Amino acid sequence: MFTRLTTLFLLRCAAALVAMTVAATSAWAETRLLMAEEPGCMWCARWNEEIAPIYPKTGEGAAAPLRRMNIQEPTPSDIVLDRRVTFTPTFILLVDGAEKGRIEGYPGDDFFWGLLGHLLDQEGINFDLKNSTVQEM
């Protein structure tokens, strides 16, 4: 009886340890929003004018800091894309360098925030500003 209880206790402890390790691994995943752009892109310029100044101050910006990539240059070796980027701007949600979703084009600020929020929600990434570390600037 004693060994059965000990075994059961040890199995539950092991299961709890595995669950905590998985949760910690998810919490430490590096999340970035990759903006694929190219010189002369008018929609990139519009995004830069309308969104870029405020993006780092938002919950989304805290959850997925911006990284930029010129599509005329080779894709950095630490990024794995599902497919080639053909439109600019293209916004790619990266988790640990791997593509998890993308927004092709810039449909205006109202649509951009909604689409980005949807991508973050799909990956279970909290972007509530109240829970972020971004400070008022």
Side-chain angles (χ1 to χ4, degrees), residues 76-92:
S77 61
D78 62 331
I79 295 175
V80 178
L81 300 177
D82 290 346
R83 64 186 189 278
R84 191 166 82 70
V85 175
T86 54
F87 302 103
T88 58
T90 295
F91 301 92
I92 302 168

Side-chain angles (χ1 to χ4, degrees), residues 35-50 68-72 85-91 103-107:
M35 179 180 179
E37 57 190 333
E38 65 183 330
C41 168
M42 68 178 231
W43 294 105
C44 301
R46 185 171 166 197
W47 188 90
N48 284 327
E49 182 181 309
E50 295 176 358
R68 293 175 183 263
M69 179 183 84
N70 183 335
I71 67 165
Q72 296 175 351
V85 175
T86 54
F87 302 103
T88 58
T90 295
F91 301 92
I103 302 167
E104 293 180 318
Y106 175 60

Side-chain angles (χ1 to χ4, degrees), residues 31 63-64 93-95 117 119-128:
T31 304
L93 183 64
L94 301 172
V95 176
L119 286 179
L120 294 168
D121 281 340
Q122 282 183 314
E123 291 303 313
I125 299 168
N126 181 15
F127 59 94
D128 183 4

